[in-house]
Amino acid sequence: MLVTGYILVAIVALGIIYIGLSYLFAPAKIAAGFGFTEVPENATGFLNVKGGRDVGAGLVPLALIIYGDPHALGWVILVAAVWPVFDMLIILRHRGKKAIAFGVHGLTAAVMVVAGLLLLLG
């Protein structure tokens, strides 16, 4: 169970780091896939900020993987699951693409919860 939890966390962490780097280097392209029906013009600065925060959000669990405390990692990833939940809710609130809201953000949150529980119970 612990190995599966660690693997799921690593996948999510590396994924959000990749997305963060994309927001830093190709913000307009990656923003189009977030789930909103339109991306505001001149939003590059905001999207770069989001990218930097996404990179940081991915590095935290990787640091905890290296630290080697599955309970600490489990709690952090479980709490961090609110980020994709809020992304999903914001997209739905603004009448964005439901498939992306549920299929990307909702699924990511579910994987994070499962990983967190595996680490806490393992």
Side-chain angles (χ1 to χ4, degrees):
M1 288 190 350
L2 285 177
V3 172
T4 304
Y6 276 114
I7 290 170
L8 291 174
V9 170
I11 290 168
V12 169
L14 293 172
I16 198 63
I17 289 170
Y18 170 78
I19 289 168
L21 292 172
S22 297
Y23 273 108
L24 290 171
F25 297 108
K29 181 178 177 184
I30 194 74
F34 185 81
F36 293 120
T37 54
E38 59 184 59
V39 177
E41 289 185 39
N42 302 319
T44 301
F46 172 77
L47 296 173
N48 289 160
V49 170
K50 181 185 176 349
R53 290 175 190 243
D54 284 353
V55 170
L59 290 174
V60 169
L62 291 181
L64 286 169
I65 288 172
I66 293 167
Y67 180 67
D69 183 343
H71 285 93
L73 178 58
W75 280 113
V76 166
I77 206 70
L78 196 59
V79 170
V82 301
W83 287 329
V85 167
F86 275 106
D87 288 346
M88 178 184 71
L89 294 174
I90 291 166
I91 291 167
L92 294 172
R93 179 177 177 218
H94 292 277
R95 296 189 174 115
K97 300 172 185 172
K98 290 182 182 177
I100 293 176
F102 293 115
V104 174
H105 303 289
L107 182 60
T108 299
V111 168
M112 292 171 75
V113 168
V114 168
L117 292 174
L118 287 171
L119 291 164
L120 289 171
L121 300 174

